[in-house]
Amino acid sequence: MTTIMPSIEPSGERIVALCDKLALHSSQPDGLTRIFLSPEQAAASQLVLGWMRDVGMHARIDAIGNVVGRYEGIETGAPCLMLGSHLDSVRDAGKYDGPLGVVTAIECVRALHARRQRLEFAIEIYGFADEEGVRFGATLLGSRAVAGTFRPANLEARDGGGITMRQAMENAGLDPDQLPAATRRRDEVLAYVELHIEQGPVLEAEGLPLGVVTAINGQSRYRIEIAGMAGHAGTVPMGSMRRDALAGAAECVLAVERICGAVPELVGTVGSIETLPGAVNVIPGRARFTLDVRSPHDDTRRRAVGELLATFASICEQRHLSLSHHVMLESRVAQCAPWLMTQLEAAVAADGIAVRRLPSGAGHDGMAMIDVTDIGMLFVRCKGGISHHPAESVTAADVAAGARALLRFIENFRPVAAEPAT
Ligand code: GLV
Ligand code: MN
Ligand code: MN
């Protein structure tokens, strides 16, 4: 890696180089996999902790393993503008989904610190420990702890190796009983703003480096289990004597594609499937798969989930299989606050960049943070819209534009009191 020296303005090359350096902390030698509470994540967190301290922040690891840095304002103890993103990844991930938002925010603080500039509010940066939910099925665990919506039942969830989250926390030197200490009060936080790669093709298609997010699409995630009867692959005749759970699951997967494909802006994915006993010469007795359904409209998503579950039930009935489902995530559309969108747009436009508003199809920590404060997001164009894949790519020029916009947004940030709930 070439070393790019810090300057008084955030450098796109430096931010990309720091993300690349973080990506070396991976459980996979030839790519990036960094999951919640893993040794690789602990090492990446230490690196980020050091970068935060280098730019004049007080930095610590909180009760769930989030890295938290604070840059005081003119008056010590003032409420903060919260920035950041996540430090965990999916399996065989790209290098910028998450880390880009953390590193860019740190480099903005570096610029302020270099100019000895303090603001009327503090800045806090979070590197959330779990957004992707790869390890324990439940997602947004880092930001939910901060928002106070972490469900204690999640501590008993087990990873693929049978380790509970409680055990994994203890193994990582964290005390599950201290989790409430990670929660932040509403009056401590003025807003949460996240810079993130777009993870979609819109900005590239329109020739724009940046976009201002209007809302994060709602999501429903389920674990579906189908039970039939295992049997001998060589002796049970084809037809009604077989109760093949995988054949039923396959029909369900195609129903997801058909039903979700028929509704504009609705997406549905079966991302993981497993069969038991899982042998070449045994008819599958059980099949388990995940379902992920998203839409910019909550009612559309809920209707689709209802139709999918009814369709799965009728497929299973016809095949004499039994069906059960378990909700992993139910998250409504998270609207970005108009006042934050306006301030982000002003920061983008000040660089002569046309303002493009767009929704986020991907999930983000703002979905959790919205329970504690108003949220805003700035998207940076990525190559081919590719994400959750090693080919994820950004240009230093686009990253520099994002960093300039974020820094300008921070410098001009004016908190707007939240509307009283009606
Ligand atoms: C997170 O990246 C998600 O959208 O699933
Ligand atoms: Mn992701
Ligand atoms: Mn992400």
Side-chain angles (χ1 to χ4, degrees):
M1 189 188 94
T2 48
T3 303
I4 300 179
M5 295 307 288
S7 76
I8 207 135
E9 294 301 331
S11 144
E13 280 88 1
R14 180 176 158 82
I15 293 168
V16 170
L18 293 180
C19 290
D20 292 351
K21 192 166 181 182
L22 263 182
L24 299 175
H25 293 285
S26 165
S27 62
Q28 194 192 335
D30 56 345
L32 172 58
T33 297
R34 193 169 55 235
I35 62 169
F36 185 36
L37 299 173
S38 61
E40 306 73 48
Q41 197 182 47
S45 297
Q46 286 304 317
L47 203 54
V48 171
L49 208 60
W51 294 343
M52 287 174 167
R53 289 179 179 147
D54 284 349
V55 302
M57 306 187 90
H58 294 283
R60 62 192 169 90
I61 306 283
D62 76 3
I64 195 151
N66 298 322
V67 188
V68 191
R70 181 173 168 95
Y71 184 73
E72 289 291 352
I74 295 165
E75 284 186 27
T76 304
C80 71
L81 168 62
M82 198 182 272
L83 307 170
S85 190
H86 57 100
L87 293 174
D88 67 320
S89 78
V90 292
R91 293 189 201 283
D92 206 14
K95 297 184 218 165
Y96 309 104
D97 171 6
L100 186 70
V102 181
V103 172
T104 306
I106 295 172
E107 291 303 298
C108 287
V109 171
R110 180 186 298 283
L112 296 174
H113 182 59
R115 302 175 201 150
R116 300 184 191 291
Q117 193 176 347
R118 298 273 165 187
L119 304 165
E120 282 168 16
F121 46 90
I123 297 171
E124 292 200 17
I125 301 176
Y126 271 75
F128 290 112
D130 174 87
E131 185 262 9
E132 304 284 7
V134 168
R135 183 160 184 186
F136 294 106
T139 182
L140 301 169
L141 295 171
S143 42
R144 286 200 193 285
V146 175
T149 54
F150 179 89
R151 301 207 340 257
N154 285 328
L155 286 171
E156 310 317 323
R158 289 182 190 271
D159 69 6
I163 299 174
T164 63
M165 182 176 159
R166 178 184 295 281
Q167 286 164 339
M169 282 187 73
E170 286 166 357
N171 295 346
L174 299 166
D175 179 356
D177 294 335
Q178 292 301 312
L179 271 175
T183 301
R184 304 302 299 270
R185 292 192 320 268
R186 193 167 270 273
D187 63 350
E188 293 178 306
V189 188
L190 300 167
Y192 171 72
V193 173
E194 176 167 347
L195 176 145
H196 202 285
I197 56 166
E198 181 200 345
Q199 305 180 278
V202 173
L203 295 175
E204 187 176 67
E206 297 185 14
L208 293 170
L210 303 177
V212 174
V213 178
T214 52
I216 305 169
N217 290 354
Q219 296 185 26
S220 301
R221 288 190 190 175
Y222 282 71
R223 195 173 290 121
I224 311 287
E225 178 152 348
I226 295 180
M229 185 158 161
H232 197 296
T235 59
V236 184
M238 300 307 288
S240 62
M241 286 189 72
R242 287 192 177 221
R243 292 169 57 214
D244 181 334
L246 179 57
E251 210 176 320
C252 295
V253 174
L254 293 180
V256 173
E257 194 179 42
R258 176 172 47 76
I259 290 170
C260 296
V263 181
E265 299 179 306
L266 179 72
V267 287
T269 305
V270 175
S272 160
I273 188 159
E274 128 187 76
T275 59
L276 287 171
V280 64
N281 57 352
V282 184
I283 298 164
R286 280 178 188 272
R288 297 191 189 117
F289 61 94
T290 56
L291 172 67
D292 177 311
V293 182
R294 309 189 193 197
S295 161
H297 309 289
D298 285 326
D299 50 351
T300 306
R301 185 187 83 256
R302 290 191 191 113
R303 247 197 325 273
V305 168
E307 185 179 346
L308 286 168
L309 294 178
T311 306
F312 296 169
S314 103
I315 290 168
C316 288
E317 197 184 327
Q318 279 165 27
R319 290 174 165 271
H320 306 291
L321 303 168
S322 64
L323 173 78
S324 60
H325 63 259
H326 167 77
V327 184
M328 295 157 70
L329 174 73
E330 211 28 273
S331 185
R332 64 185 195 283
V333 174
Q335 299 291 344
C336 292
W339 67 275
L340 287 169
M341 286 164 54
T342 305
Q343 293 188 28
L344 285 166
E345 284 168 5
V348 169
D351 229 7
I353 297 169
V355 170
R356 172 64 154 100
R357 291 185 168 199
L358 73 172
S360 172
H364 299 287
D365 291 294
M367 293 158 69
M369 294 308 297
I370 201 165
D371 286 326
V372 80
T373 191
D374 285 348
I375 64 163
M377 287 194 77
L378 185 63
F379 271 171
V380 175
R381 163 171 59 189
C382 62
K383 192 171 175 201
I386 295 168
S387 186
H388 284 186
H389 189 280
E392 202 172 81
S393 172
V394 285
T395 67
D398 287 355
V399 171
R404 277 195 305 275
L406 186 64
L407 182 56
R408 192 173 290 118
F409 165 80
I410 295 168
E411 289 175 303
N412 296 326
F413 177 67
R414 293 286 169 271
V416 173
E419 297 282 318
T422 47

